[in-house]
Every structure is written in structure tokens, then in C-alpha cells.
Amino acid sequence: MKMICISCPRGCEMDVVQEAGEVVVKGNACPRGEDYGRNELINPTRMVTGLVKVAGMRKPLPVKTSRPVPKGAIDAVLFSMHQMTVQLPVKIGDVIIQGVAGTGVDIVATANM
Ligand code: SF4
């Protein structure tokens, strides 16, 4: 599988294949690329950002996951964000949803309101 490492601005073009049960990464200029390629092949994850409703206000609260979540869980994470309504006040970093969608990852506020 061809992929571009996004761990730094250099953007190395890599070949990532599974050979005899081992993940082989070629084209990376540093070890971070090998980690990125292996994770992308075996368990790709992403940070998720979104908006959560605020009780009594039209303006929503911007939020994000505290860590990357498996790509397969992104829809469930977004659904949980959509279902949530928070009460003010909220500070940056406050946990809005603990262990969202069974991932063990929290949803945290990214703004003070
Ligand atoms: S492999 Fe290393 S140098 Fe290349 S893009 Fe990834 S982090 Fe940057």
C-alpha cells in the first residue's frame, strides 16, 4: 500500500506491505514513518473534532477527542457528539463525554464558554 507519512511536513512517500505476518515499511526517512505506516495498516486512527449543543444557546461548543480513535468508531463518536447537550460554564479541556462510544477516549472542550 502506498501512503504518505503525515507525521511531519516532509511527507515521505512510503510503501507499506505485510509480508509473512510482518509489516514492512519502505521509503520512510525516520522511525516515526515506520510507526505511522504500521499503525495505518493495522489499526488506523484519527482525531475527531465536532460541535456539541449548548443548553439555551444557539452557538455550539467546539470539541475534540482527547486521543485518536479507531477509524471504524468515528461515526459512533460523531453520533454521540450530536446527541449531547452541555450546560455552561465550560472551560477548555473539560471532559464533555467520558469514554465516548466505548472507545475509552474522552471528548473534551476546545473553547471557554
Ligand atoms: S518518515 Fe519521518 S521524516 Fe518522513 S514524513 Fe514521516 S516523520 Fe517526517
Side-chain angles (χ1 to χ4, degrees):
M1 173 189 287
K2 295 230 182 265
M3 65 176 74
I4 294 174
C5 178
I6 59 170
S7 300
C8 87
R10 184 168 170 170
C12 294
E13 291 183 29
M14 307 187 302
D15 279 311
V16 183
V17 294
Q18 206 152 13
E19 293 175 355
E22 295 265 323
V23 176
V24 178
V25 180
K26 294 177 184 163
N28 53 306
C30 80
R32 288 168 62 195
E34 188 170 343
D35 291 343
Y36 177 82
R38 177 174 291 110
N39 291 337
E40 276 296 292
L41 194 71
I42 295 170
N43 181 29
T45 58
R46 295 290 182 273
M47 293 293 287
V48 179
T49 61
L51 299 168
V52 167
K53 292 187 281 287
V54 176
M57 290 185 68
R58 293 182 67 174
K59 185 179 176 186
L61 172 72
V63 295
K64 67 174 182 117
T65 52
S66 57
R67 290 183 282 121
V69 297
K71 277 177 88 173
I74 289 174
D75 284 352
V77 168
L78 290 171
F79 182 76
S80 294
M81 285 182 187
H82 183 71
Q83 298 296 306
M84 185 72 189
T85 300
V86 295
Q87 303 285 333
L88 297 184
V90 172
K91 295 191 308 292
I92 291 175
D94 281 356
V95 174
I96 304 302
I97 305 174
Q98 202 164 27
V100 64
T103 60
V105 176
D106 297 335
I107 299 293
V108 296
T110 59
N112 296 314
M113 285 182 80

